[in-house]
Amino acid sequence: MNIKELTNKYIMNTYGRFDLALVKGDGVTLFDENGKSYIDFASGIAVNSLGYNNKAINSSIIEQLGKLIHVSNYFYTGPQALLAEKLCKNSFAGKVFFCNSGAESIEGAIKLARIFAKKFSKRGYKIISMQNSFHGRTFGALSATGQEKYHNGFEPLLGGFTYVKFNDLTDIENLVKDREYCAVIVEPVQGEGGVNIADRGYLKRLRDLTVKNDILLIFDEVQVGLGRTGKLFAYMNFDVEPDIMTLAKPLAGGLPIGAVLAKDEAARAFEPGNHASTFGGGPLVLSAANAFFDEITKDGFLDDVLKKGDYTCIKLNDLKAQFPKLIKEVRTIGLISAIEFYDLKAKDIAVKLIEKGFLTTAVQDRVLRLTPPLIIKKDEIDLFMGKAAEVLNDYKIITK
Ligand SMILES: Cc1ncc(COP(=O)(O)O)c(C=O)c1O
């Protein structure tokens, strides 16, 4: 049996996969089992921000392999301490907790918010979350997720979540006054929800409301943190600092990781025994994460991401102008973008783009998401736009 047949026979049927088996990557290019190459505008869903076969990531892993892969968190380890310092010195945070995935970071954030409320703010356990949000698949994260399609069949969920409209304060203004609520969780840019970018005024006002009512503000930056938006953290685009922030995806250069960052004031609610993870913060993964963090904080790296983001924005608007009947809207912040179609199924477009040698992801029914590695070059962006125009041209002819 080949890779696809084995997968379909032995792996649980939870993923709608593209008909493509990938075996190797280098830079922004991936190769399938037949040696065909693809330029990556997906990055393993915003994970491979430095692309593939990155020297700094590889060397950090190889060097650490010979020293220590894992010890428990009953002991101190260097890579964990070093990255925690870097994350704190470069953000609003005073303390970090390491875990292994985005969903796990959300679980940590929820637990921290609840125990903070119990110990200090004396508020209830409920949390305000956003409609159309996505926070992960474990029960806490799933419950925080404001999309019914992910809940169906798994009820009862964790109680206490109220979903309000994203980018709209109408309901929140009253809810935050209710002492049953201890936190608001929001993605500054909803990734899975369709690349919906929060308004600066909305986040600022939300911050004011949460401060005034002594309620914690949690930003989920699992998808858009760590350079994706052209700033080190997405919140920096909005001049608003949260109390707690979750990170994951790209942080360890492709190895599994999650992190909960918090202000000292909030983090003090955790004490030994409250929360833990066997693998969280392990030396091998954290060595890769240190290498990743050092790369993206090098002089000029993020400025370059911003420039390429601006360039993508111009090019996507050109594409929209070329296909006004097919493309409803384009949205870009840094190197995460959406092409929203009127009627076309984003998955169909993604399949056509694969045939032309480009990988993208479809979110929601009609939104094609672009999250290329942050090392993508302008000429590769041009190549993508050319192929996207070819694909859409076929539909233009059909719909005429
Ligand atoms: C904003 C956000 N939060 C949380 C998650 C869950 O992360 P993971 O799949 O690593 O559990 C995701 C995954 O896409 C995400 O985009």
Side-chain angles (χ1 to χ4, degrees):
M1 278 198 265
N2 65 28
I3 300 173
K4 289 175 206 163
E5 287 163 348
L6 282 172
T7 303
N8 293 335
K9 183 163 168 53
Y10 291 112
I11 301 284
M12 288 194 196
N13 188 24
T14 63
Y15 300 105
R17 295 181 205 268
F18 292 113
D19 185 18
L20 186 62
L22 297 167
V23 293
K24 205 175 95 170
D26 195 45
V28 298
T29 308
L30 281 159
F31 298 87
D32 71 12
E33 52 191 341
N34 305 311
K36 186 179 168 195
S37 66
Y38 302 85
I39 299 185
D40 188 15
F41 275 72
S43 301
I45 317 184
V47 169
N48 302 301
S49 287
L50 296 177
Y52 303 88
N53 199 21
N54 177 275
K55 280 205 179 66
I57 300 288
N58 290 4
S59 326
S60 69
I61 295 172
I62 291 163
E63 200 191 317
Q64 185 61 36
L65 259 182
K67 292 186 190 163
L68 193 63
I69 295 177
H70 172 81
V71 286
S72 83
N73 278 306
Y74 288 130
F75 304 99
Y76 292 94
T77 51
Q80 182 177 138
L82 281 176
L83 184 66
E85 181 189 30
K86 287 174 199 168
L87 287 171
C88 290
K89 286 200 163 161
N90 286 282
S91 75
F92 71 94
K95 294 265 189 298
V96 183
F97 174 84
F98 288 113
C99 50
N100 310 286
S101 69
E104 230 186 295
S105 70
I106 299 294
E107 300 296 332
I110 293 170
K111 283 182 71 177
L112 182 56
R114 280 194 176 188
I115 201 147
F116 179 83
K118 191 129 209 137
K119 286 187 183 167
F120 300 115
S121 65
K122 307 292 176 201
R123 298 184 66 107
Y125 66 91
K126 291 187 176 174
I127 295 179
I128 300 165
S129 174
M130 303 301 143
Q131 290 167 12
N132 215 29
S133 59
F134 184 83
H135 300 291
R137 306 291 192 149
T138 52
F139 266 100
L142 184 65
S143 308
T145 295
Q147 298 191 63
E148 232 175 76
K149 65 179 178 192
Y150 296 115
H151 296 170
N152 290 338
F154 299 107
E155 302 88 350
L157 301 177
L158 185 68
F161 286 91
T162 302
Y163 314 106
V164 299
K165 264 198 190 138
F166 178 67
N167 242 348
D168 183 337
L169 293 163
T170 322
D171 293 332
I172 297 186
E173 305 250 6
N174 285 324
L175 286 176
V176 287
K177 290 182 200 143
D178 181 343
R179 296 202 62 82
E180 300 239 302
Y181 289 91
C182 65
V184 179
I185 182 166
V186 60
E187 298 157 86
V189 179
Q190 290 187 331
E192 298 304 301
V195 190
N196 306 312
I197 304 160
D199 293 335
R200 176 187 281 246
Y202 161 77
L203 287 183
K204 273 191 175 293
R205 177 84 184 117
L206 184 57
R207 179 69 282 191
D208 291 346
L209 281 172
T210 47
V211 167
K212 199 169 141 211
N213 291 283
D214 203 10
I215 216 179
L216 294 176
L217 181 60
I218 306 169
F219 280 173
D220 179 351
E221 295 212 12
V222 164
Q223 185 158 151
V224 295
L226 296 159
R228 177 55 56 190
T229 65
K231 302 270 187 195
L232 186 55
F233 299 108
Y235 74 81
M236 293 170 171
N237 292 286
F238 304 92
D239 285 330
V240 174
E241 287 184 351
D243 300 297
I244 300 174
M245 175 172 73
T246 57
L247 297 175
K249 290 180 180 284
L251 179 54
L255 294 180
I257 191 170
V260 185
L261 278 66
K263 287 187 176 166
D264 280 317
E265 162 71 11
R268 75 194 158 112
F270 269 162
E271 52 189 288
N274 283 159
H275 197 48
S277 162
T278 298
F279 289 116
L284 184 70
V285 172
L286 270 280
S287 289
N290 273 285
F292 172 78
F293 197 84
D294 293 348
E295 286 299 301
I296 66 163
T297 48
K298 274 188 178 155
D299 263 0
F301 185 93
L302 292 174
D303 289 341
D304 197 40
V305 173
L306 270 182
K307 280 185 203 140
K308 290 181 298 194
D310 289 346
Y311 187 69
T312 305
C313 183
I314 292 167
K315 291 286 158 179
L316 283 177
N317 275 297
D318 289 350
L319 194 70
K320 180 174 179 289
Q322 216 180 325
F323 300 98
K325 292 202 175 133
L326 300 181
I327 299 178
K328 186 176 174 193
E329 193 174 79
V330 292
R331 299 182 282 277
T332 299
I333 179 164
L335 280 173
I336 180 166
S337 313
I339 307 176
E340 181 167 351
F341 300 107
Y342 282 107
D343 295 310
L344 297 182
K345 287 231 176 271
K347 187 91 189 278
D348 294 345
I349 305 298
V351 170
K352 301 267 183 213
L353 281 165
I354 288 178
E355 287 163 17
K356 295 196 180 278
F358 285 83
L359 303 186
T360 56
T361 44
V363 282
Q364 308 299 319
D365 250 15
R366 312 214 178 280
V367 179
L368 191 74
R369 175 181 51 188
L370 312 179
T371 47
L374 304 181
I375 56 167
I376 195 89
K377 298 201 175 68
K378 273 188 178 173
D379 55 348
E380 289 151 345
I381 295 171
D382 287 339
L383 283 175
F384 171 83
M385 297 296 165
K387 292 296 172 191
E390 277 178 26
V391 167
L392 294 179
N393 220 23
D394 290 346
Y395 284 96
K396 192 174 166 187
I397 292 159
I398 295 166
T399 51
K400 245 184 191 169

